[in-house]
Amino acid sequence: IEVLGSAATILAVGLALAEYSAWKSRLTATSDHDLARRVAVVSHQYKAVCLRGCKVTRHLVIRMRHEVGRGGVASSTLDEIRKDLDALQKASSELRAVALECKVLWGDEVWEWFQKAIVLCDRYCFCLDGFLRWSRTELSESYRDDIADRTIENFDDLTVWV
């Protein structure tokens, strides 16, 4: 009877471990699915913001090349550019957070893919910030020229890179 009791205990422990393993697998699958869903949502939002950022950046760089706004830019225009810059920075932060989660769960390869996407947003941010600084009329002409040169160079590098 003792042998049967021991065998039953071993069998019960084995079944419990098997059930725990199955439960853990289901939990991991659910976690992966939730993360994949978040990646899809954040990536979709990021894409929309980056497309807008690309259009705005292209327009502003053209203005800088032709010195449109050198004498000043309407505050309402600057407010819109600041909103676009804030939206780009927020989208980049959200994508970075999800990318870090993916790196932890899925490995470095995924992280590298995200980094390529994030670079675009960072460059658009650099250009928008450059325009905002360039449009400040209280800065010296030489400093504003330097800002314009760096911003335009960054944009030109971006268009070759993309």
Side-chain angles (χ1 to χ4, degrees):
I1 293 190
E2 257 182 60
V3 173
L4 288 176
S6 295
T9 302
I10 291 172
L11 182 61
V13 169
L15 288 174
L17 287 175
E19 182 59 31
Y20 172 75
S21 180
W23 173 80
K24 187 176 173 186
S25 294
R26 286 191 302 270
L27 184 62
T28 301
T30 300
S31 174
D32 283 351
H33 177 73
D34 289 344
L35 180 56
R37 186 186 57 73
R38 281 199 321 274
V39 167
V41 169
V42 169
S43 296
H44 182 71
Q45 293 168 340
Y46 182 80
K47 178 183 172 185
V49 170
C50 276
L51 287 174
R52 166 96 178 133
C54 178
K55 290 176 185 176
V56 170
T57 299
R58 184 175 290 122
H59 173 73
L60 296 179
V61 167
I62 290 169
R63 287 183 68 163
M64 290 177 84
R65 284 186 204 278
H66 299 288
E67 298 189 3
V68 175
R70 188 160 187 92
V73 178
S75 63
S76 60
T77 302
L78 295 176
D79 289 343
E80 285 300 314
I81 295 167
R82 283 186 196 96
K83 286 179 187 175
D84 287 327
L85 179 59
D86 289 344
L88 281 166
Q89 290 170 336
K90 180 182 177 203
S92 179
S93 293
E94 290 173 357
L95 191 64
R96 285 176 203 274
V98 151
L100 187 56
E101 271 188 83
C102 290
K103 179 182 179 182
V104 169
L105 291 177
W106 298 335
D108 288 336
E109 299 81 27
V110 175
W111 177 255
E112 291 170 16
W113 179 86
F114 278 108
Q115 292 309 303
K116 291 176 184 176
I118 291 170
V119 165
L120 287 173
C121 190
D122 289 347
R123 287 187 172 233
Y124 294 145
C125 288
F126 180 88
C127 291
L128 294 181
D129 183 62
F131 183 85
L132 290 170
R133 288 183 294 123
W134 174 80
S135 66
R136 294 176 57 195
T137 56
E138 70 273 7
L139 300 176
S140 72
E141 292 295 317
S142 62
Y143 185 64
R144 291 174 72 204
D145 288 342
D146 184 48
I147 291 170
D149 290 344
R150 284 185 283 136
T151 302
I152 291 169
E153 181 180 324
N154 183 71
F155 181 77
D156 290 344
D157 287 346
L158 178 61
T159 56
V160 170
W161 185 76
V162 173

